């Protein structure tokens, strides 16, 4: 089994290093190959997604990704910015189904900014569509406004669009995920305003006929944002488009206290996937050895489960993470009085020890 290792920028290298350590401690044979991506790709080859990196990602069985982005690339033209690497991988590999679980570990209930009774026991899953929507819709760009009260003025524009097959395939993924959990699916849309999302809602209803055992409901995105902070435990699985999913998944992540704990998986139709922490590259703390590697380690566990068919090994990693938390080990992002503050590498080593 070949794993492409794409550490990226900022804290990417240090957190991915810990996840690789954990993978290597499982006693399985993995072939790994590392390649630069994001700002690191730009530095090495003049492009955030160099040809060699894309080729490696395509031929690997799974991809372990760190994070990309650094303010120092803000002035580059859009096509050369680090974010294009992850968008390009999602599109080139047709990784359309993004799983973003938000789970609150009992030990971390105090790390959340919400009251314990609102978040304790939280276990929800956001399924975000990743290949369509306003992220990729054409046309887009800058132009002279063709009409309206500001006709002739400069305007920026993007196109929101979803085709029927795109909505159907993410709907099936989401219903199947809900079937394996609490059998409740909330489709988040903006059908009251947007044609694209009225269509989305209609297709969701149609696909729901194949899943009579799953209860489907619909929520407007503004209300969903409110419900996520008001009563997040009412959700089981949420399915939504690329843009709304981007926003809601960050909100959901913070319910758990630290975005440093949340893994994610981006899958194609054959369960090949890219696995990355839900958080970004945090250039402000890069190289300091204080970043939380647990989201990346948990992403490696998702990789074993979804793409490499090693569910027992995935369980071992997840249990090891629970164990180090119960031992009181905390990186600064989740530190509380009475616990033991550790750095990135120490946390990785503790997970390795807890595997035994
Ligand atoms: C995410 C990120 C990306 C996105 C950026 C880095 C392009 O915010 O994975 O949520 O918007 O999808
Ligand atoms: Mg985001």
């Amino acid at each position: 089994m070949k794993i492409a290792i794409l550490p990226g920028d900022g804290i990417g290298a240090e957190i991915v290093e810990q996840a690789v350590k954990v993978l290597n401690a499982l006693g399985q044979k993995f072939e790994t190959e590392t390649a630069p991506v994001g700002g690191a790709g730009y530095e090495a080859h003049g492009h955030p997604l160099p040809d060699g990196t894309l080729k490696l990602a395509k031929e690997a069985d799974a991809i372990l990704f760190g994070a990309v982005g650094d303010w120092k690339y803000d002035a580059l033209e859009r096509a050369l910015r680090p974010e294009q690497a992850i968008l390009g991988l999602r599109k080139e590999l047709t990784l359309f189904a993004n799983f973003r679980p938000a789970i609150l570990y009992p030990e971390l209930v105090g790390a959340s900014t919400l009251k314990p009774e609102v978040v304790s026991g939280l276990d929800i899953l956001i399924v975000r569509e990743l290949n369509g929507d306003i992220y990729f819709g054409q046309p887009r760009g800058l132009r002279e406004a063709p009409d309206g009260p500001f006709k002739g003025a400069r305007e920026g524009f993007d196109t929101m669009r979803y085709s029927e097959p795109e909505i159907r395939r993410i709907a099936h993924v989401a219903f199947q995920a809900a079937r394996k959990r609490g059998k409740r699916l909330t489709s988040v849309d903006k059908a009251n305003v947007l044609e694209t999302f009225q269509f989305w809602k209609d297709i969701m209803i149609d696909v729901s006929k194949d899943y009579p055992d799953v209860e489907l409901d619909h929520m407007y995105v503004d209300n969903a944002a409110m419900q996520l902070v008001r009563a997040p435990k009412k959700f089981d699985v949420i399915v939504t488009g690329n843009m709304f999913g981007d926003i809601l998944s960050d909100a959901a992540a913070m319910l758990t206290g630290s975005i440093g704990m949340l893994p994610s998986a981006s899958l194609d139709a054959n369960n090949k996937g890219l696995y990355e922490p839900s958080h970004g590259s945090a250039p402000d703390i890069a190289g300091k050895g204080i970043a939380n590697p647990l989201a990346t380690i948990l992403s490696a566990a998702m990789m074993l489960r979804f793409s490499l068919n090693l569910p027992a090994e995935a369980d071992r990693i997840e249990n090891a993470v629970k164990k180090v938390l119960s031992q009181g080990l905390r990186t600064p992002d989740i530190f509380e009085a009475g616990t033991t503050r550790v750095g990135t590498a120490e946390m990785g080593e503790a997970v390795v020890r807890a595997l035994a």
Side-chain angles (χ1 to χ4, degrees):
M1 282 171 290
K2 182 159 182 180
I3 306 173
I5 309 284
L6 311 184
D9 307 324
I11 59 172
E14 39 195 306
I15 53 177
V16 165
E17 186 186 330
Q18 305 313 312
V20 171
K21 247 191 318 208
V22 172
L23 285 169
N24 285 334
L26 288 170
Q28 294 281 332
K29 269 217 159 38
F30 302 111
E31 189 194 330
T32 60
E33 191 177 333
T34 304
V37 76
Y42 177 76
E43 301 289 350
H45 301 286
H47 195 278
L49 184 53
D51 290 341
T53 303
L54 179 58
K55 185 168 170 283
L56 170 66
K58 281 187 171 163
E59 72 192 22
D61 298 297
I63 301 149
L64 187 63
F65 190 94
V68 291
D70 194 314
W71 306 296
K72 66 181 184 217
Y73 303 113
D74 281 359
L76 286 178
E77 59 175 285
R78 181 170 307 282
L80 295 179
R81 284 193 217 159
E83 291 76 12
Q84 293 304 311
I86 186 67
L87 295 172
L89 283 165
R90 289 171 183 171
K91 197 70 178 174
E92 290 281 338
L93 277 69
T94 326
L95 306 170
F96 67 90
N98 185 211
F99 285 73
R100 296 194 167 179
I103 294 169
L104 181 64
Y105 292 88
E107 292 84 2
L108 299 184
V109 67
S112 176
T113 50
L114 274 79
K115 291 188 187 126
E117 60 267 33
V118 175
V119 289
S120 69
L122 182 82
D123 179 358
I124 65 179
L125 172 67
I126 297 189
V127 177
R128 169 188 175 196
E129 201 290 329
L130 273 190
N131 275 187
D133 205 346
I134 197 164
Y135 267 59
F136 292 100
Q138 295 288 344
R140 56 186 279 163
L142 279 179
R143 65 182 172 193
E144 241 172 55
D147 48 29
F150 300 104
K151 187 171 185 228
R154 285 200 314 144
E155 72 173 11
F157 68 107
D158 295 273
T159 304
M160 177 177 275
R161 55 191 282 192
Y162 263 123
S163 65
E164 182 170 348
E166 270 179 307
I167 304 172
R168 283 191 185 277
R169 68 182 179 182
I170 195 69
H172 282 288
V173 166
F175 275 104
Q176 280 159 26
R179 187 172 256 178
K180 291 194 201 125
R181 296 175 38 111
K183 300 190 166 48
R184 286 183 301 110
L185 179 63
T186 303
S187 168
V188 171
D189 63 50
K190 191 71 188 177
N192 50 342
V193 177
L194 302 170
E195 299 303 329
T196 309
F197 275 92
Q198 179 61 55
F199 186 53
W200 169 283
K201 181 174 179 178
D202 294 343
I203 302 295
M204 285 289 156
I205 293 169
D206 195 47
V207 173
S208 74
K209 293 175 191 148
D210 292 348
Y211 301 89
D213 52 324
V214 177
E215 190 190 313
L216 171 70
D217 68 350
H218 307 272
M219 208 179 265
Y220 297 141
V221 62
D222 48 350
N223 185 26
M226 181 167 74
Q227 298 307 328
L228 265 178
V229 287
R230 195 185 74 94
K233 284 189 275 185
K234 292 213 171 129
F235 292 104
D236 177 17
V237 180
I238 292 174
V239 62
T240 190
N242 205 347
M243 180 85 254
F244 300 156
D246 179 45
I247 300 165
L248 293 182
S249 63
D250 265 30
M254 267 326 283
L255 300 173
T256 69
S258 172
I259 198 166
M261 293 298 301
L262 297 182
S264 79
S266 304
L267 304 179
D268 73 3
N270 305 312
N271 289 333
K272 171 165 172 174
L274 179 150
Y275 298 83
E276 59 174 326
S278 285
H279 59 73
S281 55
D284 53 326
I285 60 164
K288 294 189 178 158
I290 58 171
N292 186 346
L294 293 178
T296 315
I297 292 171
L298 291 166
S299 299
M302 284 183 104
M303 174 173 82
L304 297 172
R305 180 168 289 117
F306 289 130
S307 289
L308 303 181
N309 201 20
L310 292 168
E313 281 70 15
D315 286 345
R316 277 180 72 199
I317 295 182
E318 286 164 0
N319 288 332
V321 168
K322 285 182 196 148
K323 191 161 162 194
V324 300
L325 291 175
S326 70
Q327 289 165 346
L329 303 185
R330 303 283 187 275
T331 42
D333 57 310
I334 51 176
F335 177 77
E336 286 174 89
T339 62
T340 310
R341 192 188 290 263
V342 295
T344 310
E346 274 172 287
M347 186 60 113
E349 281 144 25
V351 174
V352 167
R353 274 196 306 277
L355 284 173

